[in-house]
Amino acid sequence: MPGLARGVATRLPPRPRHLEAGGTLPTSPGKVVHQGEDLGRWVRSVRYGWDKLTGVQQWLCDHILGITPAADDEKPPPRRSQADKWALNYQAAHQLRTFTHFPARWNTPC
């Protein structure tokens, strides 16, 4: 890639042989491993983290490799905070407590 800054060019993986032969980049992990790196996982991370790339990296991915940013419905939901998890657990425990009503005098058969 002549004319590009060396740092930008080294962050992109080299074009694997199957791309040069007319193949496409995998969209899911585990399909193609090139030089020890899972290309599907790399493509997915680039698509999900598109906003974190520089303009030059976005241009290279879009025009050279054909990678486009992921749509909002394709991205995974954001992780829940610990406070949100506690709130959900508390709500579930409260629903369970109000649902299970035992009589005042509970006798177990002997």
Side-chain angles (χ1 to χ4, degrees):
M1 291 183 226
L4 295 176
R6 185 176 178 91
V8 173
T10 57
R11 289 189 186 115
L12 295 174
R15 291 181 68 134
R17 290 187 185 104
H18 76 279
L19 283 181
E20 293 171 355
T24 58
L25 283 173
T27 56
S28 59
K31 303 249 183 205
V32 178
V33 176
H34 179 72
Q35 293 183 351
E37 184 171 7
D38 188 353
L39 288 180
R41 180 171 288 148
W42 181 82
V43 169
R44 185 175 62 181
S45 69
V46 167
R47 293 187 73 219
Y48 289 170
W50 189 265
D51 297 334
K52 297 176 185 174
L53 298 176
T54 64
V56 173
Q57 289 172 328
Q58 289 177 357
W59 187 89
L60 284 171
C61 288
D62 190 16
H63 291 86
I64 304 297
L65 297 175
I67 301 172
T68 57
D72 289 336
D73 60 341
E74 291 180 282
K75 294 181 181 179
R79 291 187 174 192
R80 291 185 178 150
S81 68
Q82 195 66 29
D84 292 340
K85 291 178 186 178
W86 273 100
L88 286 174
N89 289 339
Y90 180 77
Q91 182 182 9
H94 180 70
Q95 287 176 353
L96 180 65
R97 189 180 65 119
T98 58
F99 176 73
T100 55
H101 176 69
F102 295 104
R105 184 175 176 127
W106 181 262
N107 291 330
T108 57
C110 295

